[in-house]
C-alpha cells in the first residue's frame, strides 16, 4: 500500500511507516494514493464478518504484510459482533458497541494495536494520548498486555464520568493513567509538547494512537460491509447511512467502503451544535467556531481532523460530493430523538440519537436508513436516565470495573511534571 501526505505529495509512506509515524511532514495526514474497487461484492456480502474483513483489509494493504499475518490480526481484533437492529420498517441501527469498551472505537483501537505490535516488533514504543473518554478506554484495552508497548493516557481530572474513567484506570501493567489538573485541551497540549520534545519523542519512540492513524480508519471500513450484509437482499441497493460525526474518521471509512464498491446510496454527516461541516456543505465556506459542550460530548469537535481526507476523495473524483449532506441537531432535538426511539422500543444515547434524527429528516420512501450506534447507552448513563426517566442496566464490562480501584496517578498541567513522570515510570 502506498500512501501520500495530503500536505506534500512527495512525502510517501508504506502502510507500516504510516502506522508508525501517524502524521507526516507539516502535520499532514497520510492517505492511500489509490483505492481500487473490489470485484464481486455480492460474494463478499455472503461471508461472515471476520473472513470478509480479512479480504477487505488485504485488498487495501496489498502484499506488504503476509496474508496469514493479516488474517490473525483481524481475527484477534474483531472478536465481537456488530448487529444490525431493526428499529422501524425502513430504519436500522448498526450497533458498534459490543466490544470490550462499549464504543465503536474498539474496532480501530484493537486493529491498530495488532498492527503496531507487529510493525514495531522488538522495539520499545510508548503510546502517549489524551482522552475525553472513549478513545482512552479503547486504546488502553487494545494495548493491555502487549509486549514492548507502554501506554500513557492523560485525562482531565473530574471531567469524565466515573464509570468511563474506571474502564481505563483499573487495568495496570503496561497501561499508565494520569489525571491532569486541567481540562481536555490542557491534556492535549501536554501531549503536543511531548511530541515536540526530541529527547522524549525519539528516546521513548512516541506514538499517539489517535484517530488520524491510518490503521484505525481501515478497520472501520469493514463494519459498513457488515451492515449491508445484514440487510434483506432486496434492500441492499437502497442503503442511506447517517453517521454521528466528531473528527469524521467514521464517515471517511464509510466513503472508502463505497469507493470499494459497497452499494451505499448516500451519506448524511450528522453533528451536534458543533456544525462546521454541515455549514460548509451548504455555504462552501470553512468557518469553525469555538467548540460548544453538548450531551454528545464525543462529537464536541469544531475542527474535525479527518475532513481533509474526505476533501481529497472528492477532489480526486473518487467520491461524488452530491451524495453527502450535512445535518446539525441541537440539544432539544437530541432529546426528542432519544424519546422517539424509546417509544419505538429502542433505548439509545445522544450520539446515535443525533444520527437517527438526521436520518428521519430526509429519508425517502424508496430508501432504507441505517444510523450508527457508536456507544452503549450505559456509557452515558446519567444523561440517558435523565432524558428517558428509566433506569439503564449496566452491561457486564461496566459492572466488572465499577468496584475496582483506580490506579491513576495525578499531575498538574505543566510539562515538567509530565516529563519527570515519563522518565520515572518508563525510564530504564
Ligand atoms: C468518537 C465518537 C464519535 C465521533 O466519531 P468520529 O469518527 O470522530 O467522527 C461519535 N460517537 C461516539 C460515541 C464516539 O466515541
Amino acid at each position: 500500500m502506498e500512501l501520500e501526505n495530503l500536505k506534500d505529495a512527495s512525502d510517501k509512506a508504506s502502510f507500516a511507516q504510516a502506522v508508525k509515524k501517524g502524521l507526516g511532514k507539516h502535520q499532514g495526514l497520510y492517505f492511500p494514493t489509490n483505492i481500487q474497487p473490489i470485484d464481486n461484492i455480492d460474494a463478499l456480502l455472503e461471508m461472515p464478518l471476520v473472513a470478509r474483513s480479512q479480504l477487505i483489509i488485504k485488498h487495501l494493504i496489498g502484499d506488504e504484510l503476509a496474508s496469514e499475518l493479516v488474517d490473525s490480526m483481524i481475527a484477534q481484533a474483531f472478536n465481537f459482533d456488530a448487529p444490525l437492529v431493526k428499529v422501524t420498517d425502513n430504519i436500522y441501527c448498526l450497533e458498534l458497541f459490543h466490544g470490550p469498551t462499549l464504543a465503536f472505537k474498539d474496532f480501530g483501537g484493537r486493529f491498530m494495536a495488532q498492527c503496531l505490535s507487529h510493525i514495531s516488533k522488538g522495539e520499545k514504543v510508548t503510546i502517549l494520548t489524551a482522552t475525553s473518554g472513549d478513545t482512552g478506554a479503547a486504546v488502553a484495552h487494545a494495548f493491555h498486555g502487549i509486549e514492548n508497548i507502554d501506554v500513557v493516557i492523560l485525562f482531565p481530572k473530574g471531567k469524565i464520568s466515573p464509570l468511563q474513567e474506571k474502564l481505563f484506570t483499573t487495568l495496570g501493567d503496561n497501561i499508565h493513567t494520569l489525571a491532569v489538573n486541567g481540562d481536555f485541551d490542557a491534556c492535549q497540549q501536554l501531549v503536543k509538547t511531548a511530541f515536540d520534545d526530541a529527547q522524549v519523542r525519539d528516546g521513548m519512540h512516541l506514538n499517539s494512537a489517535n484517530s488520524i492513524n491510518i490503521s484505525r480508519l481501515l478497520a472501520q471500513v469493514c463494519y459498513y460491509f457488515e451492515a449491508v450484509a445484514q440487510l434483506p437482499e432486496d434492500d441492499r441497493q437502497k442503503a442511506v447511512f447517517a453517521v454521528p460525526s466528531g473528527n469524521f474518521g467514521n464517515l471517511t471509512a464509510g466513503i472508502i467502503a463505497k469507493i470499494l464498491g459497497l452499494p451505499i446510496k448516500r451519506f448524511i454527516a450528522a453533528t451536534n451544535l458543533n456544525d462546521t461541516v454541515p455549514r460548509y456543505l451548504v455555504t462552501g465556506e470553512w468557518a469553525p467556531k469555538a467548540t460548544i459542550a453538548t450531551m454528545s460530548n464525543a462529537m464536541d469537535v469544531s475542527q474535525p481532523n479527518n475532513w481533509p481526507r474526505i476533501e481529497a476523495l472528492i477532489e480526486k473524483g473518487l467520491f461524488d460530493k452530491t451524495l453527502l449532506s450535512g445535518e446539525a441537531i441541537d440539544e432539544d432535538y437530541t432529546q426528542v430523538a432519544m424519546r422517539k426511539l424509546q417509544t419505538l422500543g429502542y433505548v439509545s444515547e445522544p450520539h446515535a440519537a443525533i444520527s437517527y434524527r438526521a436520518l428521519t429528516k430526509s429519508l425517502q420512501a424508496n430508501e432504507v436508513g441505517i444510523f450508527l450506534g457508536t456507544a452503549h447507552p450505559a456509557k452515558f448513563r446519567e444523561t440517558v436516565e435523565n432524558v428517558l426517566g428509566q433506569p439503564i442496566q449496566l452491561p457486564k464490562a461496566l459492572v466488572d470495573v465499577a468496584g475496582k480501584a483506580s490506579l491513576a496517578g495525578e499531575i498538574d498541567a505543566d510539562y515538567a511534571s509530565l516529563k519527570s513522570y515519563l522518565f520515572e515510570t518508563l525510564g530504564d
Side-chain angles (χ1 to χ4, degrees):
M1 176 178 218
E2 185 187 72
L3 299 104
E4 69 186 26
N5 181 334
L6 292 181
K7 283 196 179 157
D8 177 356
S10 72
D11 175 15
K12 300 269 198 296
S14 66
F15 176 71
Q17 286 165 336
V19 168
K20 256 175 116 161
K21 290 211 284 198
L23 282 172
K25 272 190 225 161
H26 317 300
Q27 310 278 308
L29 299 166
Y30 284 118
F31 207 55
T33 47
N34 205 331
I35 301 173
Q36 292 294 338
I38 299 180
D39 296 331
N40 208 347
I41 296 285
D42 288 339
L44 209 54
L45 292 177
E46 295 309 315
M47 304 176 80
L49 171 69
V50 169
R52 180 195 317 114
S53 302
Q54 289 165 336
L55 291 182
I56 295 169
I57 294 293
K58 284 187 268 193
H59 173 85
L60 284 165
I61 298 181
D63 54 13
E64 193 185 322
L65 300 179
S67 174
E68 311 77 59
L69 175 66
V70 176
D71 286 350
S72 106
M73 294 196 302
I74 290 290
Q76 289 182 63
F78 295 0
N79 62 349
F80 54 94
D81 295 333
L84 188 71
V85 175
K86 192 165 188 166
V87 175
T88 68
D89 270 352
N90 63 342
I91 294 184
Y92 298 80
C93 179
L94 179 66
E95 293 189 345
L96 299 171
F97 50 73
H98 296 283
T101 71
L102 310 171
F104 81 100
K105 292 192 172 71
D106 282 326
F107 281 94
R110 291 175 66 78
F111 182 60
M112 181 178 173
Q114 291 294 324
C115 291
L116 200 60
S117 76
H118 172 76
I119 288 166
S120 62
K121 211 157 223 145
E123 199 182 294
K124 262 196 153 330
V125 175
T126 305
I127 309 261
L128 178 65
T129 196
T131 188
S132 55
D134 290 340
T135 294
V139 166
H141 274 260
F143 285 94
H144 187 210
I146 291 190
E147 220 177 306
N148 282 325
I149 298 187
D150 277 293
V151 178
V152 179
I153 296 174
L154 308 186
F155 63 98
K157 190 181 173 203
K159 297 201 169 65
I160 296 182
S161 88
L163 275 176
Q164 244 184 339
E165 191 176 319
K166 289 261 173 103
L167 268 175
F168 62 94
T169 58
T170 56
L171 291 167
D173 304 324
N174 61 331
I175 309 299
H176 314 278
T177 51
L178 271 178
V180 174
N181 288 309
D183 57 15
F184 175 64
D185 288 322
C187 298
Q188 220 161 11
Q189 192 50 50
L190 287 174
V191 170
K192 280 191 188 151
T193 310
F195 274 85
D196 284 339
D197 179 343
Q199 189 193 4
V200 170
R201 184 189 61 226
D202 302 336
M204 298 196 157
H205 302 279
L206 287 192
N207 187 302
S208 80
N210 66 13
S211 77
I212 49 89
N213 196 286
I214 192 70
S215 59
R216 288 181 52 166
L217 210 55
L218 298 193
Q220 291 178 248
V221 170
C222 300
Y223 54 67
Y224 284 89
F225 284 81
E226 178 66 6
V228 175
Q230 290 180 57
L231 280 177
E233 243 176 290
D234 291 347
D235 287 341
R236 285 189 188 160
Q237 303 296 326
K238 303 182 193 165
V240 174
F241 278 89
V243 185
S245 297
N247 268 320
F248 281 77
N250 208 349
L251 181 63
T252 308
I255 293 175
I256 293 173
K258 178 164 175 58
I259 293 168
L260 289 176
L262 184 66
I264 295 176
K265 242 188 112 182
R266 62 187 179 93
F267 292 95
I268 303 167
T271 69
N272 59 27
L273 290 170
N274 297 288
D275 61 349
T276 308
V277 168
R279 279 186 293 116
Y280 172 72
L281 290 172
V282 172
T283 65
E285 207 182 318
W286 188 257
K289 298 179 184 166
T291 307
I292 302 167
T294 72
M295 283 190 294
S296 49
N297 56 28
M299 288 156 48
D300 290 348
V301 180
S302 57
Q303 307 212 42
N305 59 17
N306 271 298
W307 184 257
R309 286 175 163 151
I310 295 179
E311 200 79 27
L313 291 171
I314 295 169
E315 271 167 26
K316 285 178 186 233
L318 291 170
F319 177 65
D320 173 359
K321 74 172 176 201
T322 63
L323 301 181
L324 172 63
S325 60
E327 195 71 63
I329 307 296
D330 70 18
E331 295 289 272
D332 285 342
Y333 276 111
T334 303
Q335 298 192 35
V336 167
M338 287 170 67
R339 293 198 194 97
K340 173 72 189 172
L341 283 167
Q342 185 185 28
T343 66
L344 294 168
Y346 191 72
V347 172
S348 194
E349 50 73 45
H351 306 78
I354 281 177
S355 57
Y356 167 75
R357 170 84 193 169
L359 193 58
T360 55
K361 284 184 84 171
S362 73
L363 197 68
Q364 305 293 308
N366 61 344
E367 294 176 329
V368 169
I370 297 174
F371 65 101
L372 301 190
T374 44
H376 192 290
K379 268 196 125 168
F380 297 90
R381 180 159 125 181
E382 283 113 61
T383 306
V384 174
E385 289 184 342
N386 281 336
V387 174
L388 300 185
Q390 77 174 66
I392 298 297
Q393 269 211 320
L394 289 189
K396 189 170 179 309
L398 287 176
V399 175
D400 287 350
V401 294
K404 289 192 187 163
S406 165
L407 301 170
E410 192 178 322
I411 58 165
D412 283 330
D414 70 357
Y415 182 61
S417 311
L418 175 63
K419 191 166 175 171
S420 57
Y421 173 88
L422 290 174
F423 280 109
E424 274 163 31
T425 313
L426 308 175
D428 296 319

